[in-house]
Amino acid sequence: MSHLQRSFAKAKLAGLPFEPPLPSNTFLEEDEAEDQLKSLPESTADDDSSSASSASSASSTGTIKPSPSKHLFARPKGSSAGKRPLDPLPWSDFFKQEFYLENRRPTETITHHIYITPPSAKGPLFVTHHGAGSTGLSFALFASELFKALPHAGVLSLDARGHGETSIKLSEAPANDDVLDLSLQTLSLDLVDVILLIQKKMAWSELPDLVFVGHSLGGAVTTDVAMSGKLGRAVLGYAVLDVVEGSAIDALQSMQSYLSTRPKSFPSLASGIEWHLRSRTIRNTTSARISVPSLLRQDLRPSSPSNASSPWTWHTDLTATQPFWQGWFVGLSEKFLNARGGKLLLLAGTDRLDKELMIGQMQGKYQLQVFPEAGHFIHEDQAEKTAMVLADFYRRNDRSALVLPPKVGAMVLKKM
């Protein structure tokens, strides 16, 4: 560099503000910032885009050099980051009405507990039936998503006998006090009665188009009702969620072992919700917050100093329902394929198909949808996707949208 160039550079540098040298631990701070970035908790989002968005975020942050003076990745003191809210959600956020419908029979009086949002403008009524051990609130999040896709649709979701807030008063003591009648025939009769009772309650001159949606045991019940023809042409179609005859019967052999691994009680509703999420029984936090509290009841013991210290136990004793397990699912595949109406089968994996259903699928007898990212509770884990599939299923089977061509005779007369 010439003398002239050095003089020019000194003159320019003299006009710049003075900056102290970086401290010796600067690079250590940068390393700590990167370590904090790596140790951030995983996303707790339940939607399908969470993994994709996390991957894109990771790739972009890898090119950013955080400022040593601004701790961008430092966790704020007292922050609850990474913790999901586990407080229960009210049913009124998902349904418009709740009813207790009394049904008198010669041997019993059953009070059916239901949630309903009635259809409007001649919209369809989706009638949902939960599986063993669940309640009508299992379909709460699904219902809210369905209303977005079909604003005029309604949803009726019931608590089956022995579940939720449905209660029974027997006219006389049963032969076995420990066994509640949960046979498929009785559950199917209950479902038909609930639909007729709500028709009377809502003063409908005729039933709206009905779309049955049944999960697990509920799928067996709704298929049985569709096969019986007791509701005539009102049944537009039926959807069965994650249950087929072959795999269901095979799974019964290990059911008692599974039930023995479940906690017998929880210290709070929040801990019950947390267990369902940690065990991945339910994989959607919002759905767990609305459905799980209805599965538990507080065991109020006289010895407890306060209700707050009383444990929460299972509302339904699934072990006691074992005498009915086989009868729920035997003949399910045949009824599903032969009942009148549109047919939809939603599964969490194709390995659940038995031979009869595989043949029926190849013959185009029903629609099959698979959600491999969901667990057994498809409608809770993937509520939005389930609602979208069922909305499309209704549109495909909607009789009011079917325009038939005029008869040949009428066309001839018109020309004359």
Side-chain angles (χ1 to χ4, degrees):
M1 182 183 293
S2 66
H3 177 73
L4 180 61
Q5 288 175 326
R6 281 195 293 270
S7 300
F8 178 79
K10 287 180 180 180
K12 284 291 184 181
L13 292 173
L16 296 177
F18 173 75
E19 288 189 3
L22 290 175
S24 59
N25 63 345
T26 297
F27 298 104
L28 292 177
E29 290 185 2
E30 288 187 0
D31 292 339
E32 289 175 359
E34 290 181 0
D35 290 341
Q36 288 179 355
L37 173 59
K38 293 177 181 178
S39 64
L40 286 176
E42 297 180 359
S43 171
T44 58
D46 298 306
D47 59 10
D48 299 323
S49 63
S50 61
S51 58
S53 62
S54 299
S56 62
S57 299
S59 62
S60 62
T61 53
T63 63
I64 296 175
K65 294 292 184 182
S67 169
S69 61
K70 298 178 181 179
H71 300 285
L72 298 180
F73 300 105
R75 190 173 300 169
K77 294 181 179 180
S79 171
S80 59
K83 292 185 179 180
R84 295 174 285 191
L86 298 178
D87 52 307
L89 297 175
W91 68 265
S92 54
D93 288 352
F94 304 89
F95 296 99
K96 287 186 176 179
Q97 295 171 288
E98 173 190 41
F99 290 118
Y100 293 85
L101 306 174
E102 188 175 273
N103 185 12
R104 295 181 179 273
R105 294 175 181 165
T107 59
E108 64 183 13
T109 298
I110 179 170
T111 303
H112 301 282
H113 179 233
I114 70 162
Y115 305 94
I116 186 171
T117 296
S120 59
K122 295 185 178 180
L125 179 65
F126 286 75
V127 180
T128 65
H129 197 297
H130 60 81
S134 296
T135 70
L137 290 179
S138 176
F139 285 92
L141 186 58
F142 158 81
S144 66
E145 295 293 343
L146 183 67
F147 300 144
K148 298 175 186 177
L150 292 175
H152 300 304
V155 174
L156 184 158
S157 194
L158 59 83
D159 289 346
R161 61 171 56 214
H163 297 72
E165 296 185 34
T166 292
S167 59
I168 300 175
K169 184 178 180 181
L170 299 176
S171 302
E172 55 184 30
N176 188 343
D177 293 338
D178 296 330
V179 178
L180 177 68
D181 183 9
L182 288 175
S183 64
L184 181 61
Q185 180 182 4
T186 299
L187 294 173
S188 298
L189 178 61
D190 287 347
L191 179 58
V192 173
D193 284 352
V194 164
I195 294 172
L196 298 179
L197 286 169
I198 199 62
Q199 179 185 8
K200 183 179 179 180
K201 182 74 174 180
M202 306 301 293
W204 293 332
S205 58
E206 60 181 13
L207 286 172
D209 288 337
L210 303 177
V211 179
F212 286 139
V213 185
H215 172 246
S216 196
L217 164 62
V221 176
T222 53
T223 301
D224 189 65
V225 172
M227 186 68 185
S228 70
K230 292 180 179 179
L231 297 172
R233 290 181 56 82
V235 180
L236 201 62
Y238 50 95
V240 172
L241 310 186
D242 207 47
V243 61
V244 295
E245 180 180 346
S247 59
I249 293 176
D250 290 342
L252 294 179
Q253 301 175 5
S254 58
M255 184 57 64
Q256 286 288 7
S257 298
Y258 162 73
L259 293 178
S260 65
T261 63
R262 296 197 310 173
K264 296 187 181 301
S265 64
F266 302 95
S268 65
L269 287 177
S271 63
I273 295 171
E274 183 180 15
W275 178 84
H276 279 81
L277 293 171
R278 284 184 176 275
S279 64
R280 296 183 65 77
T281 303
I282 299 175
R283 305 179 184 185
N284 185 302
T285 303
T286 302
S287 190
R289 291 170 64 192
I290 177 62
S291 66
V292 172
S294 63
L295 309 182
L296 306 172
R297 60 182 173 187
Q298 199 166 21
D299 186 10
L300 301 178
R301 299 174 181 174
S303 58
S304 299
S306 66
N307 292 345
S309 62
S310 300
W312 293 81
T313 58
W314 298 103
H315 195 291
T316 303
D317 182 7
L318 287 178
T319 304
T321 66
Q322 185 175 7
F324 306 102
W325 291 352
Q326 195 83 6
W328 289 343
F329 304 112
V330 171
L332 173 58
S333 295
E334 181 181 358
K335 286 186 285 187
F336 175 78
L337 294 172
N338 295 324
R340 184 174 182 175
K343 303 166 180 60
L344 171 64
L345 180 61
L346 273 73
L347 299 177
T350 53
D351 57 316
R352 289 166 168 81
L353 284 176
D354 56 26
K355 180 179 179 181
E356 197 167 358
L357 289 178
M358 290 180 67
I359 295 174
Q361 170 63 15
M362 289 186 288
Q363 294 174 342
K365 290 186 176 182
Y366 64 93
Q367 177 187 346
L368 174 64
Q369 186 74 42
V370 180
F371 292 162
E373 67 275 21
H376 179 53
F377 290 85
I378 292 181
H379 55 298
E380 297 200 54
D381 298 345
Q382 298 291 331
E384 182 179 4
K385 285 187 176 182
T386 303
M388 294 299 294
V389 169
L390 277 159
D392 291 339
F393 174 71
Y394 163 71
R395 295 188 187 102
R396 253 192 317 273
N397 292 277
D398 182 13
R399 287 190 290 258
S400 64
L402 182 63
V403 179
L404 297 175
K407 295 181 179 180
V408 177
M411 295 176 65
V412 174
L413 292 174
K414 187 175 181 180
K415 290 181 179 180
M416 296 176 59

